[in-house]
Amino acid sequence: MLIHPWDAAHDETEWRSWLATHDFGQLAANGVNGGPPMVVPTHFVFDGDREIVLHLARPNPIWAALEANPTVVVSVHDDYAFIPGTWRSDSPDEGVPTSYYATVQLTCRAEIVDDKEAKAKILRRQLAHHQPEGGHGVVAAGEGPYHRMLPGIRGLRLEVAEVRAKFKYDDKKPVEFQEQVAARLAERDLPGDADARAQQLRRLRLR
């Protein structure tokens, strides 16, 4: 991923704060024997520091890739919008369109978890995060309504080794230009425009 200096996160707090509100992304692993990369959309739980946990079904084809090479990438993106070229130039023939978006990519080392109680612990962490209101039975290796289902899944612990974060909102442009684009996003109001505008204005305040 290309990250120009003006698109980079200002500090760790910026990307950590953004990622704290996002818990769905794509898990990517190298393909096996020269095959294409394996990419799996999935919910996950990030501890805010250095660990991600999740689980996937045992038949998922990604396991062979992880066993061959445990280095993976978790990629998350959001707050995106298409910016027409006519918004970026006074001349309709010279404007260059672009995309606004925020993304965090975490390179991790994967550890496969097959122990039943360890898998149950991962599930409890996920339920506490995704379903904090409760409304589910006991999640344990030897009791409750789910213990017989545990053999059908495998857990994953991902140790974060590197983080690449990008907030692409035309920060290299003059303030007046960004304010004009923000106004046009508000006027257009397509799905995603409000979130992209909020990120753009947040970055503008940081300038």
Side-chain angles (χ1 to χ4, degrees), residues 27 32 38 40 54-69 110-114 152-156:
L27 173 67
V32 179
M38 301 288 297
V40 179
L54 58 105
H55 75 279
L56 299 169
R58 185 170 290 275
N60 197 299
I62 200 171
W63 301 116
L66 296 178
E67 289 164 353
N69 185 343
E111 175 193 354
I112 298 173
V113 178
D114 279 323
I153 66 169
R154 304 180 85 182
L156 271 178

Side-chain angles (χ1 to χ4, degrees), residues 29-160:
N30 287 315
V32 179
N33 297 325
M38 301 288 297
V39 182
V40 179
T42 182
H43 276 100
F44 62 87
V45 175
F46 176 51
D47 69 356
D49 185 22
R50 286 293 167 184
E51 185 180 64
I52 293 170
V53 296
L54 58 105
H55 75 279
L56 299 169
R58 185 170 290 275
N60 197 299
I62 200 171
W63 301 116
L66 296 178
E67 289 164 353
N69 185 343
T71 299
V72 300
V73 172
V74 175
S75 179
V76 184
H77 69 272
D78 202 355
D79 306 330
Y80 55 86
F82 177 79
I83 307 301
T86 51
W87 292 11
R88 303 181 79 232
S89 174
D90 293 332
S91 171
D93 297 328
E94 297 179 4
V96 178
T98 193
S99 299
Y100 284 0
Y101 60 86
T103 184
V104 175
Q105 297 180 353
L106 306 104
T107 302
C108 309
R109 183 172 181 83
E111 175 193 354
I112 298 173
V113 178
D114 279 323
D115 176 78
K116 286 185 178 181
E117 183 50 44
K119 288 190 290 186
K121 183 177 180 181
I122 288 175
L123 291 178
R124 289 195 293 269
R125 285 179 63 180
Q126 289 192 272
L127 283 168
H129 173 79
H130 296 293
Q131 195 172 321
E133 71 277 8
H136 57 80
V138 173
V139 181
E143 62 176 320
Y146 308 112
H147 76 278
R148 289 187 175 88
M149 302 178 189
L150 288 175
I153 66 169
R154 304 180 85 182
L156 271 178
R157 292 195 191 96
L158 307 180
E159 181 183 0
V160 179

